[in-house]
């Protein structure tokens, strides 16, 4: 064996068994590589150290390590319209096809017309009718199959990519970093629980049972062969927004989170509830201030007010007062999407 | 080194690295030691092998391994009265003390009288009033503290032991055996979700987030110091009995179980729903036919009919027809309770 072969072999061995500290450091990568150094990144790292180091006075036993994440605007793009609402609008033709009488009934007539101006003027009541008509009245299995098909084919108009690629890489890193440190990560979303569960495992690594969302009832019945199945009913069980978030967390998890992440007034109570617990608690909130790489909106700091994801100045002031950490998309995130190099 | 030292060393090394099959077998203990050999025990072992052996055509990926257990009459004693109802009745004096006007209102007057005959005649409507008055109207934290205090001090009149010791050892073994094979075990109970969550971790090794039960709403608010808290409200969100069990499983877990365990007509739909899935599915049902070691009841096979845990002949016939496995407490369980030697 020549000298350089032996040196190479020694390196390979050292790397594979992790014997030399230098090599170990070299092999380790920053779990939050898409974050710029700054107070937001630092807050996450310090929280994890404080709650997982056995010597820390703020150590949290593994079974209590719960972290909750809003989805729209926190884990993926919510602007200019929630993805699930796009799904519902896209489903309207199939619903009208199945029940042709709906073609002459509002708001379905407006949706079928394709008139964008009229569409933008639909009221919340109209939207709820569309949501009920497109998300209920079918079996759970049928709904899952339809949603999956749509997710595989639909494309966001700005980035021309599947919606499931419009997740924020820095937040995916936080999910993985927390899980690597014994945290169970939950989605706590105002969006539909059944919708998010269709893709949460492959997109976020979060299994269906760790998705808490706005949930309707189901009803148990039998098909013509006597085989039982569940039908999605237009009956609201949990409106997982605002106060509904801590209420939903109690219902579905039964523990107060140690860390919570949000981006709008709909997350306020979840962040308050999390932060009000004993010991080290982390509350963080995304500020959409990056019109170039994503969007800039929410009236905090003079950003434009929009219909979705309202980050008000009052919320910003509460964040400051209560010690929530504001994540500036523009300043704290080195990279926004995985598909950007 | 002398010869016998070397032989000893060889044995130690072989045992520690698991080289000799004989040593391995010696170290293993039967995970279902409290079960008599028979079709019930065999069904459990065969199900676990079929779904966890990678070479099996019925192999189930670890993330899909969900097993659900009814509690009352399946994991612990439910006869002659559900433990949680004993808790509610014991709480009535405190409720009346806080609201003295209730002392003259039925059904509280009857409960306060201590008249056992009158108590036994209370209607379902009366009981629901007692349940609402004793389980709601306080904060989640207060409820948990009260329930814990009661569980620590209350004693079952027959066995003179804490109620939490009246769990069935064979079923505790099934819980552990399934978990050791990658299953996540859930309680799916008609009892109160918040009540069972207080002790589920220490008694069954099941964390609060894996307890699905009859659940009421909570409301988010602030105390006088501005600290947020949740109040338990008398508003039913999920009646986790009968059809409510598969509906609750969909709401809280979002996956169909591979194994389900019950003991009464209230578990019928959960067992049907589980068994209707593809691949290997296990549905098992406890028959309380052991008056000596526990109780004998449920009109199946001519056992006495009682108010709780109705195992009807029709349910028995459905079990036979659908391939559910009946566990006879008398014949299949070698030991019923851990405290019995």
């Amino acid at each position: 064996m020549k000298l350089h072969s032996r040196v190479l072999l020694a390196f390979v061995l050292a790397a594979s068994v992790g014997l030399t500290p230098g090599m170990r450091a070299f092999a380790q990568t920053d779990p939050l590589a898409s974050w710029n150094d700054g107070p937001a990144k630092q807050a996450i790292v310090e929280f994890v150290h404080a709650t997982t180091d056995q010597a820390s006075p703020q150590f949290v036993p593994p079974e209590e390590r719960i972290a909750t994440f809003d989805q729209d605007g926190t884990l993926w793009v919510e602007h200019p319209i929630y993805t699930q609402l796009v799904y519902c609008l896209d489903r309207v033709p199939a619903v009208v096809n199945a029940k042709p009488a709906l073609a002459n009934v509002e708001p379905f007539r407006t949706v079928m017309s394709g008139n964008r101006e009229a569409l933008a003027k639909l009221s919340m009541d109209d939207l709820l009718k569309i949501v009920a008509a497109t998300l209920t009245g079918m079996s759970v299995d049928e709904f899952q199959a339809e949603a999956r098909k749509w997710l595989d084919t639909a494309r966001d108009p700005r980035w021309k990519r599947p919606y499931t690629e419009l997740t924020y890489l820095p937040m995916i890193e936080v999910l993985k970093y927390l899980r690597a440190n014994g945290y169970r990560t939950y989605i706590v979303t105002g969006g539909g629980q059944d919708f998010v569960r269709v893709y949460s495992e492959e997109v976020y690594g979060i299994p269906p049972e760790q998705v808490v969302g706005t949930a309707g009832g189901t009803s148990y019945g039998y098909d013509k062969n006597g085989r039982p199945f569940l039908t999605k009913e237009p009956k609201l069980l949990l409106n997982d927004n605002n106060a509904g978030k801590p209420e939903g967390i109690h219902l579905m998890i039964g523990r107060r989170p140690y860390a919570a992440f949000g981006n709008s007034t709909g997350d306020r109570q979840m962040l308050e509830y999390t932060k009000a617990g004993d010991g080290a608690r982390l509350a963080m909130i995304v500020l959409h201030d990056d019109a170039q790489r994503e969007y800039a909106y929410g009236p905090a700091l003079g950003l434009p007010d929009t219909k979705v994801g309202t980050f008000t100045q009052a919320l910003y002031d509460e964040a400051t007062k209560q010690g929530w950490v504001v994540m500036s998309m523009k300043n704290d995130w080195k990279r926004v999407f995985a598909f950007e190099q």
Side-chain angles (χ1 to χ4, degrees), chain A:
Chain A
M1 195 182 273
K2 291 180 189 164
L3 183 62
H4 73 267
S5 299
R6 295 179 67 176
V7 170
L8 187 67
L9 180 65
F11 257 92
V12 169
L13 284 173
S16 63
V17 299
L19 285 179
T20 57
M23 287 303 288
R24 284 240 297 275
F26 183 75
Q28 276 179 358
T29 53
D30 180 359
L32 300 176
S34 300
W35 291 74
N36 290 317
D37 289 328
K41 179 176 182 174
Q42 193 182 339
I44 299 166
V45 173
E46 283 175 3
F47 167 78
V48 166
H49 287 171
T51 57
T52 61
D53 179 351
Q54 294 247 15
S56 162
Q58 297 174 313
F59 176 77
V60 176
E63 66 272 19
E64 291 180 26
R65 292 183 199 158
I66 302 280
T68 56
F69 292 79
D70 168 59
Q71 181 189 229
D72 295 301
T74 299
L75 293 178
W76 76 355
V77 175
E78 67 180 349
H79 208 75
I81 175 174
Y82 298 121
T83 300
Q84 188 177 1
L85 201 47
V86 182
Y87 171 74
C88 291
L89 292 170
D90 283 358
R91 284 285 300 154
V92 166
V95 168
V96 170
N97 195 41
K99 290 186 192 168
L102 287 178
N104 297 315
V105 177
E106 288 298 349
F108 303 98
R109 184 163 54 183
T110 295
V111 178
M112 293 301 286
S113 76
N115 181 333
R116 288 179 151 271
E117 263 183 60
L119 260 172
K121 283 182 192 151
L122 288 178
S123 68
M124 183 54 72
D125 222 40
D126 288 332
L127 294 177
L128 287 178
K129 278 180 197 161
I130 294 166
V131 165
T134 54
L135 299 182
T136 67
M138 76 283 287
S139 79
V140 161
D141 292 345
E142 283 163 358
F143 169 75
Q144 288 170 346
E146 282 298 337
R148 185 165 291 281
K149 199 167 70 183
W150 182 84
L151 288 161
D152 287 346
T153 52
R155 294 293 179 268
D156 169 84
R158 175 168 166 188
W159 285 280
K160 324 283 185 212
R161 288 178 176 274
Y163 288 94
T164 48
E165 290 186 18
L166 301 185
T167 54
Y168 305 134
L169 184 59
M171 295 305 292
I172 300 288
E173 290 174 355
V174 173
L175 287 170
K176 288 182 181 166
Y177 179 51
L178 286 171
R179 289 197 292 262
N181 284 281
Y183 275 87
R184 264 156 304 145
T185 54
Y186 281 78
I187 290 173
V188 177
T189 175
Q193 182 168 283
D194 281 349
F195 184 76
V196 178
R197 281 175 168 175
V198 172
Y199 57 85
S200 61
E201 177 89 58
E202 64 189 73
V203 173
Y204 302 117
I206 294 178
E209 60 270 26
Q210 287 170 215
V211 174
V212 179
T214 295
T218 56
S219 65
Y220 180 85
Y222 304 88
D223 68 14
K224 62 182 192 295
N225 301 315
R227 199 184 136 118
F229 71 101
L230 294 170
T231 301
K232 284 171 68 64
E233 298 291 345
K235 181 197 165 194
L236 186 67
L237 284 186
L238 173 65
N239 179 356
D240 200 42
N241 284 294
N242 305 303
K245 290 211 175 193
E247 291 162 8
I249 288 169
H250 177 71
L251 176 68
M252 306 282 288
I253 311 176
R255 304 184 195 259
R256 191 194 298 260
Y258 273 82
F261 299 78
N263 79 301
S264 81
T265 50
D267 303 312
R268 181 169 70 84
Q269 290 87 342
M270 175 171 75
L271 296 165
E272 289 173 350
Y273 180 65
T274 299
K275 197 72 182 169
D278 298 330
R281 305 273 171 164
L282 181 66
M284 296 188 69
I285 188 158
V286 177
L287 181 68
H288 293 263
D289 56 357
D290 195 331
Q292 201 170 352
R293 295 189 298 173
E294 201 240 14
Y295 294 100
Y297 60 97
L301 309 182
L303 294 168
D305 197 358
T306 57
K307 275 188 184 174
V308 296
T310 315
F311 194 151
T312 61
Q313 189 61 40
L315 188 67
Y316 190 90
D317 295 343
E318 182 171 350
T320 308
K321 192 175 157 197
Q322 298 208 357
W324 308 349
V325 181
V326 176
M327 299 168 268
S328 156
M329 184 172 273
K330 192 173 174 180
N331 301 321
D332 289 314
W333 291 1
K334 196 181 289 178
R335 242 172 108 181
V336 175
F337 301 111
F339 57 76
E340 293 173 337
Q341 290 309 318

